[in-house]
Amino acid sequence: KLLDEASGHFPLPCDTEHVYNRQVLTNNGRTATVYLLQNCFDFGEGDVLLLPDYLCLSVIVAVEEPKVRYRFYHINRDLSIDMPSLYAQLDEHVKGIYLIHYFGVPYELETIQELQTISRERGIPLVEDITQTLLTCVPGRMGFADYIVSSTRKWFPTTDGGILAVRDGAPMREVPLGDPYNEAAYKQLLISFLRDYYDAHPERDLMEYAALEQKANKARYVDLSPRGMTEYSRNIMFHCDLDAIARIRVENYLWLYDRLSAIPQVRILSKPITAGDGCIPFGLVILVEDRDAFHQAMIRKGILGEIQWILPLDYYDPGQDARYLADHNVMLQCDQRYTPADMDKIADTIAAYFA
């Protein structure tokens, strides 16, 4: 299905009840969160936002930009919420709970219902970060919060992109966005072309590209003022075939999952999915001992896995499970650029590494 760009409204698959009728299309997920905290909340002195302790630095940076205080609840090793730790943080100062759905699969229904009860009884708004579940649609388990934020550029061949979606009735002040074009946008455009080049020239050292990508990523943290999404990215996002993207991701995921399940040394963190269950994978995550050596070895073989995430320990002290996840995970890409033959290459390379 092709999208109606004229409406300026991206059809979030999780919005099955069509209750997120206000959207702000920003230049990335961080600025979508900044816009949210600046214009949808009124944090007073001492008020805090609860965050999961398994998260990316970009979330903390976005929360600190408008000078919002925050505290953490724990995420378990199986990516579920440690609900006792969340309850332990609840007091009169908590004015919002930030949730992250991990790697394409939302939380279980029982957890969602408990969170909704907390929100309703204590008057605490919920925020769903669906960056890793943007195309997932499991009714009842997603699209329940007051606000939704997401980075979109991780799903499409775009240089920038983020979304803030606001549930009907939830407060929001509308303010204009800044000029979309800045240093980060241009650097992201550059590495997107370079990635195509390196994919087409496997003889080149992929470590060169990894270094360039790291520089481009740093540029995204320089300017956190909410800017609009570039026309380049809007044009691509609104003319993608979402059904085809979802189908290819699922096919690649299932193929790779089956292959990796046969390698004894590989522990798969990602949850099993089935075609048609509504879960669209962000990537397939494995847990590996001596992860850094494994990650570097894969890059030298032309496989650019991603670490999700290197925790920002300068900002907080995460729980043991979050530390374990951060120290052992590698996310293997299975998006629409690839084919089952590419998944075979990944599996063969990993099998050879452990052999």
Side-chain angles (χ1 to χ4, degrees):
K1 55 189 176 184
L2 298 180
L3 310 181
D4 179 14
E5 185 179 6
S7 70
H9 190 278
F10 183 81
L12 295 168
C14 67
D15 186 14
T16 56
E17 298 179 352
H18 307 291
V19 293
Y20 294 94
N21 293 303
R22 289 170 291 168
Q23 289 187 1
V24 181
L25 301 183
T26 64
N27 52 329
N28 57 55
R30 281 175 302 285
T31 56
T33 300
V34 172
Y35 189 103
L36 162 74
L37 298 176
Q38 289 177 336
N39 301 296
C40 302
F41 287 84
D42 289 306
F43 287 94
E45 185 176 355
D47 291 342
V48 299
L49 177 69
L50 293 188
L51 302 174
D53 66 347
Y54 182 51
L55 82 175
C56 177
L57 170 63
S58 63
V59 176
I60 295 179
V61 170
V63 173
E64 287 198 335
E65 176 69 12
K67 296 180 172 52
V68 172
R69 296 178 182 271
Y70 51 89
R71 297 203 300 255
F72 293 91
Y73 60 89
H74 295 320
I75 296 297
N76 296 317
R77 195 172 294 195
D78 64 356
L79 300 175
S80 63
I81 295 176
D82 182 340
M83 293 303 295
S85 78
L86 189 146
Y87 277 109
Q89 295 295 332
L90 292 176
D91 59 27
E92 69 276 12
H93 298 294
V94 175
K95 301 303 180 184
I97 302 175
Y98 191 101
L99 311 163
I100 297 176
H101 295 292
Y102 297 104
F103 306 120
V105 179
Y107 291 116
E108 295 298 327
L109 183 58
E110 294 79 5
T111 300
I112 301 308
Q113 292 172 338
E114 195 167 358
L115 290 166
Q116 288 178 305
T117 298
I118 291 172
S119 175
R120 181 176 61 254
E121 293 182 350
R122 298 174 182 254
I124 301 175
L126 302 176
V127 179
E128 286 178 87
D129 185 331
I130 65 168
T131 293
Q132 296 187 348
T133 50
L134 180 66
L135 300 187
T136 287
C137 176
V138 183
R141 291 171 58 189
M142 280 185 63
F144 58 86
D146 303 272
Y147 304 99
I148 288 175
V149 292
S150 176
S151 170
T152 60
R153 69 174 193 84
K154 299 177 178 69
W155 290 83
F156 307 108
T158 59
T159 61
D160 65 288
I163 288 179
L164 163 64
V166 181
R167 177 177 277 273
D168 294 348
M172 181 184 74
R173 296 181 293 271
E174 295 190 30
V175 299
L177 295 168
D179 184 348
Y181 294 95
N182 64 353
E183 179 185 4
Y186 287 113
K187 285 190 174 179
Q188 289 297 321
L189 179 60
L190 174 62
I191 65 166
S192 66
F193 286 121
L194 285 173
R195 181 57 190 267
D196 287 343
Y197 172 79
Y198 278 89
D199 284 345
H201 296 82
E203 73 280 1
R204 294 298 300 267
D205 184 0
L206 198 57
M207 293 294 288
E208 299 172 350
Y209 170 81
L212 293 169
E213 184 181 53
Q214 188 176 39
K215 291 180 180 179
N217 289 340
K218 287 182 178 179
R220 299 203 309 271
Y221 289 87
V222 174
D223 179 7
L224 289 180
S225 58
R227 297 174 175 271
M229 189 183 298
T230 64
E231 285 301 311
Y232 169 86
S233 294
R234 285 176 61 100
N235 185 55
I236 292 175
M237 189 178 77
F238 279 97
H239 291 85
C240 279
D241 187 333
L242 298 186
D243 292 335
I245 289 173
R247 175 180 54 79
I248 294 169
R249 282 177 174 263
V250 170
E251 289 174 353
N252 287 339
Y253 182 92
L254 294 176
W255 191 280
L256 184 59
Y257 197 103
D258 182 65
R259 287 291 317 275
L260 295 182
S261 297
I263 303 175
Q265 299 92 332
V266 172
R267 289 172 294 156
I268 301 179
L269 174 64
S270 288
K271 301 182 184 304
I273 66 173
T274 58
D277 70 0
C279 294
I280 309 302
F282 185 60
L284 193 153
V285 185
I286 62 176
L287 300 175
V288 182
E289 297 299 328
D290 199 2
R291 188 272 316 283
D292 292 342
F294 172 82
H295 185 230
Q296 293 298 310
M298 292 301 103
I299 292 177
R300 288 193 292 269
K301 294 292 185 178
I303 297 171
L304 195 64
E306 296 183 23
I307 295 173
Q308 303 283 329
W309 298 274
I310 298 174
L311 299 183
L313 301 182
D314 292 344
Y315 290 82
Y316 72 112
D317 183 23
Q320 291 185 349
D321 284 0
R323 286 178 180 269
Y324 182 87
L325 291 170
D327 290 342
H328 292 82
N329 83 85
V330 176
M331 187 183 76
L332 305 168
Q333 296 171 343
C334 61
D335 60 69
Q336 59 270 24
R337 292 172 290 180
Y338 303 113
T339 66
D342 296 314
M343 301 300 100
D344 278 335
K345 177 186 175 182
I346 293 173
D348 290 342
T349 304
I350 293 175
Y353 175 86
F354 286 114

